[in-house]
Amino acid sequence: MMLLEAVRERLGPESVVLGSPVTGLDHDADLLVGADGIRSSVRQALFPGEGEPVPGGDVLWRGTTYAKPFLTGGSMLMIGDSTQKLVIYPVAPPGDDGTQLINWAVQHRARVEGVPTGDWNQPVEVERVLPHVRGWHCDELDVQALIEGAEQVFQYPLVDRDPLPRWSAERVTLMGDAAHPMYPTGSNGGTQAVIDARVLAYALAHGLGLEFYEEQRRPVTNNIVPANRKDGPEVILRLACERAPGGFADVEQVLPLAEREEIALRYKQLAGFEPATLNARRSWTVHP
């Protein structure tokens, strides 16, 4: 919504037109950009035989709850293993009442009946989630109370699409989930879409065209998609569970800090946000 408001503020309230589906690629504009999500009509027109999104077998339930801050008030928790996990992090600072808005997501690695493939906006009752966290214990946070306190819960399957050999044809290209839908592992879906937009704007402003845009973006995202299927940086949860199935008192004995840092660094390098790399490359800012 913040991005939508910014677009309307900068380009005018009529710049966003709703209820106008894409029916083909014929156009009279300088460029048609398909930024229309995992079920992109533009992508379907470019690759008509691709078919449905690829299901991974996991179901995700997500909600937000106003609750008291935990740990530092800006901490992120990842709890679980390769079959089920819970990710929790705040999305707003504490308010006057001492609570803050906390986002949570429960991921369950099993097929659940009644979950439409590719529909990310299916509201469900919170009772559907609770059995999957019953008995979970965390010293810093009452997990069950957090989920019970959600005003609304959404359910969707983890789906993506296989990487494409190209994104562009003549004056048409793709970006974001239309180009590279990926699992939310590593929290990279929205990030990569924003980078797409920056690089495309840079390419157009400097007369470099769609070929430059694809050279910079497609190899990176084509690597992230399969990496996220393998749990990305969250592979540390699976490793800890495999090495200490009965639990542990000292994480250093199970998964030393140096190994954890190496796993995190590899993913940062893969996704393009490792600090040294960022500081060494050109800026994608388009100066007026």
Side-chain angles (χ1 to χ4, degrees):
M1 296 306 296
M2 290 173 64
L3 292 172
L4 175 60
E5 290 170 5
V7 168
R8 285 174 166 160
E9 179 182 343
R10 297 180 186 184
L11 304 181
E14 304 302 320
S15 60
V16 178
V17 180
L18 304 179
S20 299
V22 174
T23 58
L25 299 186
D26 293 333
H27 64 94
D28 56 6
D30 292 335
L31 179 65
L32 171 63
V33 180
D36 48 341
I38 192 169
R39 291 188 173 277
S40 167
S41 298
V42 178
R43 178 173 176 141
Q44 184 179 16
L46 290 172
F47 298 92
E50 185 177 28
E52 289 291 300
V54 180
D58 288 25
V59 174
L60 198 71
W61 293 280
R62 170 165 275 159
T64 55
T65 305
Y66 283 97
K68 292 182 178 180
F70 62 92
L71 292 175
T72 66
S75 300
M76 182 178 190
L77 286 178
M78 292 184 181
I79 310 167
D81 55 24
S82 60
T83 62
Q84 188 157 290
K85 62 186 174 185
L86 173 62
V87 179
I88 307 170
Y89 53 88
V91 291
D96 294 338
D97 63 352
T99 68
Q100 65 181 148
L101 189 62
I102 297 175
N103 184 78
W104 55 263
V106 176
Q107 183 173 332
H108 181 59
R109 184 152 295 178
R111 188 168 297 281
V112 176
E113 294 299 324
V115 183
T117 301
D119 189 343
W120 290 35
N121 292 292
Q122 284 292 313
V124 295
E125 297 296 326
V126 69
E127 285 74 21
R128 187 154 192 180
V129 187
L130 292 176
H132 299 285
V133 296
R134 191 160 289 127
W136 285 44
H137 174 73
C138 177
D139 289 341
E140 300 292 339
L141 188 65
D142 188 332
V143 171
Q144 187 153 330
L146 179 73
I147 293 175
E148 286 179 333
E151 292 186 3
Q152 194 169 29
V153 178
F154 289 93
Q155 163 185 277
Y156 49 87
L158 286 192
V159 294
D160 63 8
R161 290 190 183 276
D162 294 330
L164 292 173
R166 60 180 175 86
W167 291 353
S168 308
E170 298 181 355
R171 293 177 296 136
V172 178
T173 194
L174 302 171
M175 72 161 56
D177 276 1
H180 47 73
M182 60 184 67
Y183 295 173
T185 307
S187 303
N188 249 282
T191 300
Q192 296 300 326
V194 170
I195 299 174
D196 288 349
R198 286 176 62 87
V199 175
L200 180 59
Y202 182 94
L204 297 177
H206 292 83
L208 300 172
L210 298 181
E211 183 177 352
F212 177 86
Y213 164 61
E214 277 205 44
E215 286 176 352
Q216 298 297 321
R217 297 299 304 142
R218 192 164 53 81
V220 174
T221 57
N222 279 6
N223 287 332
I224 299 175
V225 171
N228 283 4
R229 289 176 177 175
K230 298 178 181 179
D231 291 329
E234 295 170 27
V235 70
I236 61 173
L237 297 176
R238 175 172 59 81
L239 292 175
C241 183
E242 290 175 351
R243 295 175 186 180
F248 54 85
D250 184 1
V251 68
E252 284 297 308
Q253 301 299 315
V254 178
L255 204 62
L257 177 60
E259 184 179 4
R260 303 197 305 271
E261 289 179 335
E262 182 182 354
I263 291 171
L265 178 62
R266 285 202 305 265
Y267 189 78
K268 290 176 184 177
Q269 292 171 334
L270 178 81
F273 55 85
E274 185 267 326
T277 303
L278 284 176
N279 291 333
R281 70 152 174 80
R282 75 179 86 192
S283 169
W284 299 127
T285 300
V286 178
H287 297 284

